[in-house]
Amino acid sequence: MKKLMRAVSLVGIFGLLVVGLVACGNKKTTSSDSSSGYRNSISKGLDAVAENKMDKALTYFDNALTQKPKDTKAKAYRDQTQSYVDTNSQLKAGEVQKAVTTITDGVKIKNGAKSLDTKLAKLKTSAKADLAEYRQLDKDVTAQLKVTDGNYSSDVLNQCKNIDWNKKPYLSKLKSKVSKLLKQSNQESSSSSSNSSESSSVNSSSDTKTVSAADKKEAEEMRQTIVQSEPGKWDSAALAQVPDSVIVAATKKSNDAGGDPGTTANMIAEQYPNIKKKTSSADTKAHADQIRTVLVNNQDFSEAVLNDIPDSEVIAAAKGGFATNSDIARTAGTLLQNHPDLK
């Protein structure tokens, strides 16, 4: 009897061991399957990032988190991708400031993927540039809407006319203001043209004189020289409306007095004050950037260092003129005195 009981006990113990081993095997298999699914989701998610398919990547990283809910890497990858997707959506909706805030938080995410770090950094740079463009345009258009004498900035109007709203959706919230400005300036331009045509018949005898082909060529060359001598200061469209005879006469008078293109322009401006642009912040920046571009190309200056120099200082350095190689060299020398790291 004792032998029988001992045999039953051994069978029971053996059975428990078998059940335990089977259970452990099932648990090991389940754990292995989970780990495999996690790795597969992470790998496919990163592949989708490389292909710039961010919505698809987001789905894969969500799947990885389903496999391992507390995994810090999967969560970081998922949060990075969500930040990228949200920022682009906000830019398309014209929510520029919100987009910059979102992407700024996104680049701070720790333990993320290097590929996502790179994409987020680039997106932050472009989003900040978009915000700067938005703010500048908003400022310039607001200022131009207050113009009452018809003396609008041609640079601002041209910028407004050339906006491709499909390519720049981040500016969409300014569309109504831009349209209002263009409509307002067109109405005043039509009115001004009407008044101008009435007065032109009265003044034609004094302003319009027959000029030779040589004088006509000299007038056109002087117009170009004036605009190039001080970029951003003189309005080429307004200069084109000044009679050739007036340009030639001012050039001769200026040359006789030992003057330069700036002197000639100021003489013309006494009769035609609209050739001188009203300087706005956008005009100032455009002027400074034109000078920077020439200095980078002509003097091999560091673009990064030049961009850090205030617009006002760059413009002041070119104040004596910027039309000839000697003018450019003088401007370069002036800036080098205070910024030797330009070279």
Side-chain angles (χ1 to χ4, degrees), residues 24-36:
C24 288
N26 288 338
K27 184 176 181 181
K28 185 176 181 181
T29 301
T30 301
S31 176
S32 176
D33 289 345
S34 175
S35 179
S36 175

Side-chain angles (χ1 to χ4, degrees), residues 55-117:
D55 289 327
K56 190 175 181 181
L58 196 57
T59 300
Y60 282 123
F61 294 142
D62 278 336
N63 288 339
L65 275 174
T66 300
Q67 303 293 328
K68 292 187 177 183
K70 295 182 179 181
D71 186 71
T72 56
K73 182 169 75 171
K75 186 178 187 308
Y77 290 8
R78 194 261 179 208
D79 289 347
Q80 283 182 304
T81 308
Q82 188 67 64
S83 176
Y84 191 95
V85 170
D86 288 346
T87 299
N88 276 313
S89 295
Q90 289 157 1
L91 288 172
K92 288 179 181 178
E95 300 286 351
V96 202
Q97 180 61 71
K98 192 174 181 181
V100 170
T101 300
T102 299
I103 196 64
T104 299
D105 291 339
V107 297
K108 296 177 182 177
I109 295 172
K110 304 295 183 182
N111 304 316
K114 288 185 178 180
S115 57
L116 282 164
D117 286 339

Side-chain angles (χ1 to χ4, degrees), residues 142-164:
T142 299
Q144 291 298 298
L145 284 170
K146 296 177 182 178
V147 171
T148 57
D149 59 359
N151 198 1
Y152 295 96
S153 165
S154 59
D155 288 340
V156 175
L157 292 180
N158 287 333
Q159 181 185 3
C160 290
K161 291 174 184 176
N162 294 325
I163 294 175
D164 187 333

Side-chain angles (χ1 to χ4, degrees), residues 4 30 63 104 108-109 160 162 201 227 247 270 279-280 341:
L4 179 61
T30 301
N63 288 339
T104 299
K108 296 177 182 177
I109 295 172
C160 290
N162 294 325
S201 60
V227 173
I247 300 284
E270 291 177 4
T279 305
S280 68
D341 52 342

